[in-house]
Amino acid sequence: MSELTTARLLLRPFEPGDVTAVHAYASDPEVVRYMDWGPNTLAETEAFVADAADPAEGVHLFAVEHEGHVVGAVELRVTNHIHARGEFGYALARSAWGRGLATEAAAAVLAFAFDRAGLHRVAATCDPANTGSRRVLEKTGLTYEGRLKDYLHIRGQWRDRLLYAATR
């Protein structure tokens, strides 16, 4: 897998040495509050980093590095080759919030999806209460398409998702 660079970020493959940095955000209840995974145990983080080093076909998983430190992850998943569709998502450490880093990483992966992965449509979802993620998706150029009712079962509760998408 290749690397992507932006003005402030390096998006690169995960390495075994990333476990400590990944665990710092993946075990943070506030970071994973709206996710359908986590907070991670150390064993779960170790398994994630090991699997991330060799992702499945159609999965492009990047460690988000800022100033030499891994501060998050962003993933593009090709969901249908025939119709050239994909989905992406991201998670960043609290220390990276509010500085435009998620928007920068999302924009880089969206460009990768269209320019290098050959996708025509890319979608992303977020929890309706996650205003920060909604702003990231809107600033990245995705359009709000609707609300997915009871879309995920997270920690014993059904949660809606807001659907955003962009086309080439």
Side-chain angles (χ1 to χ4, degrees), residues 64-144:
V64 178
E65 192 175 296
H66 178 251
E67 296 178 346
H69 302 285
V70 172
V71 296
V74 62
E75 176 184 318
L76 171 69
R77 187 173 294 266
V78 177
T79 57
N80 190 300
H81 290 283
I82 294 169
H83 300 291
R85 285 194 312 253
E87 299 174 348
F88 80 98
Y90 43 84
L92 266 71
R94 269 197 273 179
S95 63
W97 292 0
R99 299 191 288 159
L101 299 178
T103 302
E104 201 169 312
V109 168
L110 190 62
F112 174 86
F114 293 142
D115 300 339
R116 293 179 41 198
L119 298 181
H120 174 72
R121 175 185 166 83
V122 179
T125 65
C126 69
D127 192 283
N130 193 342
T131 56
S133 192
R134 286 171 38 196
R135 282 194 301 269
V136 166
L137 297 174
E138 291 165 359
K139 287 190 285 184
T140 304
L142 280 76
T143 302
Y144 173 72

Side-chain angles (χ1 to χ4, degrees), residues 14-19 22 42-56 61:
F14 279 91
E15 303 167 352
D18 295 333
V19 169
V22 171
L42 181 57
E44 288 169 330
T45 300
E46 289 170 340
F48 167 80
V49 172
D51 291 346
D54 186 26
L61 188 54

